[in-house]
Amino acid sequence: MQRIYLDANATTPVLPEVVEAMRPFLAEAFGNPSSAHLHGQHARSAVEHARGFVAKLLNATAKEIVFTSGGTESDNLALTGILQPYLDAREPAHLITTQIEHHAVLYAAEALEKRGIEVTYLAPEANGLIGPATFEAALRPHTRLVSIMLANNETGAIQPIGKLARIAKARNPALVFHTDAVQAAAKLPLDLSGEFKNVDLLSLSGHKMYAPLGTGVLFVRKGVQLAPLFYGGPHERQRRAGTENVPGIVALGRAAELALAWLADTSHISNLESLRDRLEQGLLTTIPNTTVNSATTPRVPNTTNLRFDGIDAESLLIALDMQGIAAGFGAACMSGATEPSHVLLAMGLTPAQARSSLRLSLSRLTTANEIDRALEIIPAAVARLRSVS
């Protein structure tokens, strides 16, 4: 059976070039990067080489790159790292986030709220975007941190982060702005010296950009003070204690290098978007009562979220897997949950509509032949499920 992978927003395949780059550091190049001898310095050099490529991907400086275990840790470090000092000093602090964030941000915000941080959870408009006027109205004199994702993991909708960050800084230059860019990295250019120059903290995850699981990054703009989550050695300039995951970091650096080359040719983005649109339009044409969630919103080029009325998405997911297609609904880390997507509910969908929505997300390796095959399998699967519902 031909397997077709359309769940790249859950995790991407590890590219062969990335595997080759990390391979030596799983065996003979085993040094601790904090050691002073040759083995250690070889590892340290590899870590810093990778840091440089991640910095180039973001148009930042190497000193602003902190390696973590993934997007969840990066998000938690961003929120708690900024707000913990206010809790320690018993000073009032206000956090603005949204109802459509990844749970790494939502649950961190809820935990901080229980400890005394005031939190505002902004609702999106029906298209999945946060309105600038709604955002500006939520700002308060004691707002210390904003955390709004760049690209939504379920719908692919791209928030106007550059504009929102400008609004925040115009109101209070000392306010810290964080964005979870996990689903945007390696899909869109991320310029922290240009469009996103007002963003202070930015999270990345290696396994969403063709590197292995268990690697991540938090960009920390120069001058931003961050309380650590972990205590131990002075690793990552005292912002993230713990011996660095050298193989994972090397892999992430190589993935960033490959992403730079991929993004440099703008035809790659348009080609990926063309494949996504071909899949999306083909399904809309062949399957009645089908809707694209966030259809009118700027989206990352690989993602479509479709609602098939009268279908249970979990049943469709299982049926497609049996036919060789890997798809997703909701965040991968919440796949065992029985509740409908919090993102789609926040956008105004009913629970039944949210439960009938399926996410299809392409990777750089997706082919036109795979899209054609998916356009044969998915309509037939939906028709079968509707006939027995």
Side-chain angles (χ1 to χ4, degrees):
M1 181 189 297
Q2 178 189 9
R3 301 296 306 184
I4 301 172
Y5 188 72
L6 297 177
D7 199 21
N9 283 12
T11 193
T12 52
V14 182
L15 294 176
E17 301 94 324
V18 173
V19 174
E20 287 306 308
M22 72 184 296
R23 192 186 304 278
F25 296 90
L26 293 168
E28 62 269 19
F30 57 84
N32 185 322
S34 295
S35 298
H37 48 61
L38 186 61
H39 291 77
Q41 291 313 296
H42 180 52
R44 171 56 55 194
S45 177
V47 167
E48 297 311 316
H49 183 72
R51 197 187 308 274
F53 276 114
V54 173
K56 287 181 181 179
L57 181 65
L58 301 176
N59 197 12
T61 67
K63 291 182 179 179
E64 295 173 310
I65 303 302
V66 177
F67 288 117
T68 69
S69 64
T72 293
E73 184 189 336
S74 295
D75 287 343
N76 276 261
L77 178 56
L79 270 64
T80 303
I82 293 298
L83 296 172
Q84 183 62 50
Y86 293 100
L87 291 170
D88 292 342
R90 297 184 179 179
E91 294 180 11
H94 177 229
L95 163 66
I96 296 176
T97 187
T98 79
Q99 296 176 6
I100 57 174
E101 298 299 307
H102 189 278
H103 284 98
V105 167
L106 284 178
Y107 289 167
E110 290 172 5
L112 288 162
E113 190 173 18
K114 290 176 182 177
R115 298 172 59 201
I117 298 296
E118 186 179 348
V119 183
T120 296
Y121 301 91
L122 298 177
E125 297 173 353
N127 61 5
L129 296 185
I130 301 300
T134 299
F135 170 70
E136 187 167 14
L139 291 166
R140 301 173 187 173
H142 62 295
T143 302
R144 306 302 181 195
L145 176 66
V146 172
S147 181
I148 300 178
M149 68 186 347
L150 178 51
N152 189 267
N153 51 299
E154 297 191 30
T155 66
I158 301 171
Q159 299 293 338
I161 292 300
K163 183 174 185 178
L164 298 180
R166 287 194 299 273
I167 291 171
K169 293 293 186 176
R171 180 72 69 86
N172 180 5
L175 182 152
V176 177
F177 198 105
H178 167 251
T179 188
D180 178 336
V182 163
Q183 293 293 346
K187 300 174 188 174
L188 301 172
L190 300 176
D191 187 356
L192 285 163
S193 295
E195 181 184 2
F196 303 125
K197 65 182 179 181
N198 291 306
V199 170
D200 301 295
L201 301 166
L202 181 145
S203 302
L204 299 181
S205 177
H207 78 100
K208 305 301 174 75
M209 49 182 287
Y210 306 92
L213 301 160
T215 60
V217 165
L218 181 65
F219 159 82
V220 182
R221 192 173 293 280
K222 182 180 178 181
V224 173
Q225 299 300 309
L226 198 69
L229 287 179
F230 306 147
Y231 294 90
H235 310 86
E236 298 299 296
R237 295 181 173 85
Q238 298 185 331
R239 294 174 293 194
R240 202 274 186 181
T243 302
E244 294 91 343
N245 172 10
V246 178
I249 288 171
V250 168
L252 181 51
R254 181 63 173 133
E257 183 181 9
L258 293 170
L260 277 166
W262 190 83
L263 291 166
D265 185 346
T266 55
S267 69
H268 287 143
I269 295 177
S270 60
N271 289 340
L272 181 58
E273 189 170 42
S274 178
L275 281 178
R276 188 273 312 275
D277 291 348
R278 180 172 167 181
L279 174 64
E280 186 175 276
Q281 292 304 315
L283 295 175
L284 289 173
T285 300
T286 56
I287 306 175
N289 302 314
T290 299
T291 306
V292 177
N293 297 318
S294 291
T296 61
T297 304
R299 291 174 289 160
V300 286
N302 77 314
T303 304
T304 182
N305 190 299
L306 297 118
R307 185 172 80 245
F308 303 102
D309 291 347
I311 293 295
D312 176 72
E314 187 171 7
S315 298
L316 179 57
L317 188 75
I318 295 169
L320 292 179
D321 190 46
M322 293 176 66
Q323 292 291 312
I325 294 180
F329 63 97
C333 58
M334 299 297 292
S335 60
T338 58
E339 294 299 312
S341 160
H342 72 284
V343 172
L344 300 181
L345 292 179
M347 290 167 54
L349 274 67
T350 66
Q353 289 173 327
R355 287 193 179 95
S356 68
S357 297
L358 188 77
R359 181 188 67 193
L360 300 171
S361 47
L362 288 60
S363 80
R364 289 186 217 159
L365 306 181
T366 304
T367 67
N369 286 338
E370 289 175 331
I371 296 300
D372 289 341
R373 180 63 179 145
L375 286 172
E376 296 174 0
I377 295 172
I378 298 174
V382 172
R384 282 194 301 272
L385 288 173
R386 281 180 172 168
S387 70
V388 299
S389 63

mmCIF file of all heavy atoms in Angstrom, residues 6 19 74 151 219 270 278 329 345 348-349:
data_model
loop_
_atom_site.group_PDB
_atom_site.id
_atom_site.type_symbol
_atom_site.label_atom_id
_atom_site.label_comp_id
_atom_site.label_asym_id
_atom_site.label_seq_id
_atom_site.Cartn_x
_atom_site.Cartn_y
_atom_site.Cartn_z
ATOM 1 N N LEU A 6 0.140 13.206 5.242
ATOM 2 C CA LEU A 6 -0.465 14.540 5.197
ATOM 3 C C LEU A 6 -0.713 15.055 6.615
ATOM 4 O O LEU A 6 -1.765 15.604 6.926
ATOM 5 C CB LEU A 6 -1.774 14.503 4.400
ATOM 6 C CG LEU A 6 -1.653 14.112 2.921
ATOM 7 C CD1 LEU A 6 -3.027 14.046 2.256
ATOM 8 C CD2 LEU A 6 -0.739 15.079 2.168
ATOM 9 N N VAL A 19 19.903 13.811 9.092
ATOM 10 C CA VAL A 19 20.362 12.568 9.727
ATOM 11 C C VAL A 19 21.873 12.427 9.592
ATOM 12 O O VAL A 19 22.576 12.082 10.559
ATOM 13 C CB VAL A 19 19.652 11.346 9.109
ATOM 14 C CG1 VAL A 19 20.242 10.045 9.659
ATOM 15 C CG2 VAL A 19 18.157 11.402 9.385
ATOM 16 N N SER A 74 10.109 25.953 25.152
ATOM 17 C CA SER A 74 10.357 27.336 24.734
ATOM 18 C C SER A 74 9.204 28.245 25.133
ATOM 19 O O SER A 74 9.410 29.355 25.631
ATOM 20 C CB SER A 74 10.579 27.395 23.221
ATOM 21 O OG SER A 74 11.752 26.705 22.844
ATOM 22 N N ALA A 151 1.470 31.344 13.448
ATOM 23 C CA ALA A 151 0.654 30.517 12.552
ATOM 24 C C ALA A 151 -0.042 29.448 13.378
ATOM 25 O O ALA A 151 0.606 28.753 14.168
ATOM 26 C CB ALA A 151 1.513 29.875 11.469
ATOM 27 N N PHE A 219 14.203 32.287 20.846
ATOM 28 C CA PHE A 219 14.912 33.531 20.559
ATOM 29 C C PHE A 219 14.631 34.501 21.695
ATOM 30 O O PHE A 219 13.475 34.710 22.077
ATOM 31 C CB PHE A 219 14.433 34.117 19.226
ATOM 32 C CG PHE A 219 14.711 35.587 19.070
ATOM 33 C CD1 PHE A 219 15.959 36.040 18.668
ATOM 34 C CD2 PHE A 219 13.717 36.522 19.332
ATOM 35 C CE1 PHE A 219 16.215 37.400 18.536
ATOM 36 C CE2 PHE A 219 13.956 37.888 19.196
ATOM 37 C CZ PHE A 219 15.211 38.325 18.795
ATOM 38 N N SER A 270 5.519 28.811 -3.320
ATOM 39 C CA SER A 270 4.369 28.822 -4.226
ATOM 40 C C SER A 270 4.022 27.420 -4.720
ATOM 41 O O SER A 270 2.848 27.085 -4.892
ATOM 42 C CB SER A 270 4.629 29.764 -5.403
ATOM 43 O OG SER A 270 5.756 29.359 -6.138
ATOM 44 N N ARG A 278 -4.487 22.572 -4.761
ATOM 45 C CA ARG A 278 -4.993 21.510 -5.640
ATOM 46 C C ARG A 278 -5.768 20.468 -4.840
ATOM 47 O O ARG A 278 -6.848 20.016 -5.253
ATOM 48 C CB ARG A 278 -3.812 20.872 -6.357
ATOM 49 C CG ARG A 278 -4.136 19.749 -7.310
ATOM 50 C CD ARG A 278 -2.859 19.408 -8.041
ATOM 51 N NE ARG A 278 -2.926 18.160 -8.778
ATOM 52 C CZ ARG A 278 -1.894 17.668 -9.466
ATOM 53 N NH1 ARG A 278 -0.752 18.324 -9.483
ATOM 54 N NH2 ARG A 278 -2.010 16.537 -10.119
ATOM 55 N N PHE A 329 -6.465 15.785 13.246
ATOM 56 C CA PHE A 329 -7.501 16.722 13.666
ATOM 57 C C PHE A 329 -7.099 17.238 15.031
ATOM 58 O O PHE A 329 -6.842 16.484 15.947
ATOM 59 C CB PHE A 329 -8.897 16.094 13.690
ATOM 60 C CG PHE A 329 -9.065 14.957 14.672
ATOM 61 C CD1 PHE A 329 -9.615 15.176 15.912
ATOM 62 C CD2 PHE A 329 -8.660 13.680 14.329
ATOM 63 C CE1 PHE A 329 -9.766 14.126 16.817
ATOM 64 C CE2 PHE A 329 -8.811 12.622 15.222
ATOM 65 C CZ PHE A 329 -9.364 12.850 16.467
ATOM 66 N N LEU A 345 -13.802 25.908 18.073
ATOM 67 C CA LEU A 345 -14.885 26.407 18.928
ATOM 68 C C LEU A 345 -14.738 27.910 19.164
ATOM 69 O O LEU A 345 -15.726 28.654 19.130
ATOM 70 C CB LEU A 345 -14.902 25.665 20.263
ATOM 71 C CG LEU A 345 -15.286 24.183 20.237
ATOM 72 C CD1 LEU A 345 -15.225 23.603 21.648
ATOM 73 C CD2 LEU A 345 -16.679 23.978 19.638
ATOM 74 N N GLY A 348 -16.119 30.058 16.545
ATOM 75 C CA GLY A 348 -17.561 30.109 16.417
ATOM 76 C C GLY A 348 -18.211 28.874 15.851
ATOM 77 O O GLY A 348 -19.436 28.838 15.672
ATOM 78 N N LEU A 349 -17.427 27.821 15.559
ATOM 79 C CA LEU A 349 -18.021 26.583 15.076
ATOM 80 C C LEU A 349 -18.759 25.888 16.218
ATOM 81 O O LEU A 349 -18.387 26.020 17.388
ATOM 82 C CB LEU A 349 -16.950 25.649 14.508
ATOM 83 C CG LEU A 349 -16.562 25.838 13.030
ATOM 84 C CD1 LEU A 349 -15.852 27.169 12.818
ATOM 85 C CD2 LEU A 349 -15.663 24.700 12.571
#
